[in-house]
Amino acid sequence: MSDRARNVSPMLASPRCGARIRSGGSCRSPAVRGKRRCRMHGGAPGSGAQRGNQNARRHGLFTRDAIAERKQIQDLMGEARKLLQEMK
């Protein structure tokens, strides 16, 4: 290394990545230009899923229809419990 002073102030002044790390703190890496995350947390070009990704929906457990169906079943079970309590 040379004795010449390095100009690192632009790097230190750049916005930081907003991701949370496992220990609970913030990521200290600089964000990718034009993005809010560093290259390791999704700021790299081509990272993330494509628009309209159907692979994210695998089981349909939390679709609007499935949630409504579970609510109907819970209501029906509640009514059945009330009816059984009244019969006793």
Side-chain angles (χ1 to χ4, degrees):
M1 292 281 281
S2 66
D3 293 331
R4 191 176 69 181
R6 294 177 58 191
N7 184 13
V8 294
S9 58
M11 183 179 74
L12 295 175
S14 65
R16 301 285 121 184
C17 175
R20 296 310 237 174
I21 57 176
R22 290 185 197 180
S23 63
S26 296
C27 176
R28 298 187 309 182
S29 298
V32 173
R33 184 177 310 190
K35 300 203 177 184
R36 298 181 66 184
R37 297 288 184 250
C38 68
R39 62 188 176 84
M40 292 166 284
H41 289 117
S47 63
Q50 64 271 21
R51 299 269 181 215
N53 183 7
Q54 295 297 313
N55 295 331
R57 288 188 246 148
R58 294 211 177 232
H59 46 67
L61 188 62
F62 297 105
T63 60
R64 190 176 295 125
D65 295 335
I67 292 170
E69 184 179 357
R70 286 196 300 272
K71 179 154 177 35
Q72 283 181 331
I73 291 171
Q74 287 174 348
D75 293 342
L76 184 62
M77 292 295 289
E79 291 176 18
R81 283 189 197 103
K82 282 183 189 176
L83 183 61
L84 285 173
Q85 287 296 326
E86 291 173 5
M87 291 176 64
K88 285 184 180 180

